[in-house]
Amino acid sequence: SAVVFPNKISTEQQSLMLVKRLLAVAVSCITYLRGIFPESAYGTRYMDDVCVKILREDKNCPGSTQLVKWMLGCYDALQKKYFNDYWICLQTITECYHFKFKYTHNGPLLDFSSKNNRMDSTITCADTKKASILLIRKIYVLMQNLSPLPNDVCLTMKLFYYDEVTPSDYQPPGFKEGECEGMIFEGEPMYLNVGEVPTPFHMLKVKVTTEKQRMENVDKSILKSGETNVPLHMLRVDRDGEENQDM
């Protein structure tokens, strides 16, 4: 009944399992709070003291079953270390959720110098847990404050790989080769850096792209209710746009 944080993350397998679970929680929260699938397509779990909805296969909801299969394909690419970027797009495009993955090659150290001038730092389990919970709370805040989606919304998913290590003919289960086309928004896009979660072996970073007008309608005052008491100003605007790849 809980998304359990390990007491320690000393192996790559432990890290991989946590990243998989965190990805599942994030995608489930997004689709649940944006009303993509019915209530019956979700189970209730707890992530520390945060109640979350987890997407599951529902025979009465083919869409949720398909998304679960896509997630299993994502896990395959993630385990093989081919996975770079993972985009969930709501066409035409109204919102896009961008998950970026990085793998470390030299053991349990991550280079933070590009962000805040710190040298290599050992990532503790407490660091990972704190970042994970904060990320999910930020997603909750954003999802609950965006305008409702159109009734005819369509969800698509795109995966991007590290070309230098991924076999040219590789496609994870449930996916086929596609064209690397850009995103087209009807309005002016706004890029938000929602957060990032480090482990000793992985880094997961989440960005959201939405129409600027939709964000301008959001009350940017600090929210004080319940568990989602994360200020909206903590969702940093990426002024360099989606091209800012600082990982």
Side-chain angles (χ1 to χ4, degrees):
S1 61
V3 179
V4 179
F5 286 95
N7 293 325
K8 61 179 180 179
I9 305 176
S10 57
T11 68
E12 189 171 355
Q13 185 61 34
Q14 290 172 330
S15 175
L16 176 64
M17 183 61 67
L18 181 62
V19 172
K20 286 180 178 180
R21 289 176 177 174
L22 187 58
L23 178 61
V25 171
V27 172
S28 297
C29 287
I30 290 168
T31 57
Y32 180 78
L33 292 170
R34 300 308 284 139
I36 303 297
F37 302 117
E39 181 81 25
S40 61
Y42 298 87
T44 301
R45 299 288 184 271
Y46 287 88
M47 185 175 179
D48 200 52
D49 61 341
V50 180
C51 179
V52 296
K53 295 291 186 176
I54 301 295
L55 190 67
R56 60 189 179 189
E57 294 186 81
D58 180 2
K59 63 181 180 180
N60 296 319
C61 182
S64 69
T65 298
Q66 180 62 61
L67 185 52
V68 169
K69 291 179 179 178
W70 282 347
M71 292 297 296
L72 295 176
C74 295
Y75 292 166
D76 184 81
L78 189 60
Q79 188 162 335
K80 290 181 169 67
K81 299 185 181 180
Y82 298 160
F83 208 172
N84 182 350
D85 285 303
Y86 165 56
W87 295 13
I88 302 177
C89 302
L90 303 178
Q91 300 175 335
T92 43
I93 290 177
T94 303
E95 296 170 7
C96 180
Y97 301 89
H98 178 193
F99 295 78
K100 185 173 180 65
F101 300 86
K102 182 179 179 182
Y103 315 90
T104 60
H105 303 286
N106 300 316
L109 291 176
L110 286 174
D111 180 9
F112 280 78
S113 60
S114 62
K115 293 192 65 66
N116 54 18
N117 297 320
R118 285 174 56 187
M119 300 301 289
D120 283 355
S121 302
T122 300
I123 303 302
T124 67
C125 205
D127 294 331
T128 300
K129 180 178 179 179
K130 180 179 179 180
S132 299
I133 293 173
L134 183 58
L135 174 66
I136 298 303
R137 285 179 170 169
K138 286 182 178 182
I139 290 175
Y140 263 69
V141 170
L142 182 58
M143 298 303 98
Q144 291 174 338
N145 285 272
L146 286 174
S147 304
L149 292 169
N151 292 330
D152 59 347
V153 69
C154 176
L155 183 150
T156 62
M157 187 178 295
K158 294 181 180 290
L159 306 186
F160 296 85
Y161 311 109
Y162 287 105
D163 292 337
E164 62 272 19
V165 296
T166 306
S168 58
D169 60 347
Y170 172 76
Q171 293 298 335
F175 289 86
K176 62 181 181 179
E177 186 174 0
E179 297 179 359
C180 186
E181 53 198 30
M183 296 185 299
I184 300 177
F185 281 78
E186 291 183 348
E188 181 183 355
M190 172 176 280
Y191 307 96
L192 300 170
N193 285 328
V194 180
E196 58 188 45
V197 177
T199 81
F201 301 91
H202 297 86
M203 172 74 85
L204 168 63
K205 185 171 184 177
V206 181
K207 295 183 179 183
V208 174
T209 307
T210 186
E211 296 175 7
K212 186 175 182 179
Q213 183 178 2
R214 294 165 63 81
M215 284 303 301
E216 289 175 344
N217 294 332
V218 169
D219 180 2
K220 294 182 176 58
S221 63
I222 295 177
L223 304 180
K224 298 182 180 179
S225 60
E227 297 170 342
T228 55
N229 57 349
V230 179
L232 282 173
H233 62 71
M234 291 182 66
L235 303 173
R236 182 167 62 84
V237 175
D238 188 346
R239 301 191 181 280
D240 294 330
E242 195 224 340
E243 297 303 318
N244 178 21
Q245 303 292 340
D246 55 1
M247 293 186 65

